[in-house]
Amino acid sequence: RLVLGLEIEKSAIGDAERNCAVNNTDHCRFILGDIRESLSSLKINPDVMVIDPPRAGMHKDVLAKVMELATERLVYVSCNPATLARDLKALVSSGYKVEEVQPVDMFPHTNHVENIVALGMSG
């Protein structure tokens, strides 16, 4: 199975490629660029999407494309509960259902908590 990563930071792609080499993984490909353009240019419909947007949440164009793709499984990683709630409201209205939420305290003794949300298409 192909794993495709879309990333705006060149250094993050370099890190991912080095991790693939260290782990003898040859089924990963990476696209450098803004997800607003790269997601729209994809000619495949993924089985699973993992989305980790910035604090501002998903850009409205990205959110619209994700809802259009209607990928069966979606994992949303968020560091901002407010934008997570906003984006989940839109995703649920488009047919997704929240299956599980897992908070992760990566920064002890601060008010920052990552939330990982597993979603699936309802019906």
Side-chain angles (χ1 to χ4, degrees):
R1 287 213 144 154
L2 175 66
V3 174
L4 186 60
L6 310 176
E7 177 58 56
I8 198 165
E9 292 293 330
K10 187 175 185 176
S11 64
I13 288 181
D15 291 342
E17 290 172 338
R18 280 188 294 284
N19 280 328
C20 287
V22 165
N23 291 293
N24 295 320
T25 302
D26 62 0
H27 62 281
C28 298
R29 304 291 175 269
F30 303 97
I31 297 173
L32 176 63
D34 191 317
I35 192 171
R36 285 180 285 179
E37 289 89 34
S38 54
L39 186 59
S40 293
S41 68
L42 287 183
K43 304 295 185 229
I44 61 171
N45 191 355
D47 297 324
V48 178
M49 290 181 70
V50 178
I51 298 176
D52 186 359
R55 286 195 65 74
M58 278 197 271
H59 185 277
K60 64 183 174 79
D61 296 342
V62 174
L63 184 58
K65 183 63 178 177
V66 168
M67 291 186 300
E68 176 188 319
L69 287 170
T71 301
E72 191 65 30
R73 307 261 322 135
L74 180 63
V75 177
Y76 192 121
V77 180
S78 176
C79 62
N80 184 341
T83 57
L84 172 63
R86 179 200 67 204
D87 292 347
L88 287 180
K89 182 178 179 182
L91 290 165
V92 167
S93 73
S94 75
Y96 281 98
K97 66 178 180 178
V98 174
E99 296 178 343
E100 187 173 350
V101 178
Q102 178 64 57
V104 179
D105 188 2
M106 295 176 60
F107 308 102
H109 310 294
T110 73
N111 62 342
H112 299 285
V113 175
E114 294 282 320
N115 288 289
I116 304 167
V117 182
L119 300 108
M121 288 302 288
S122 41

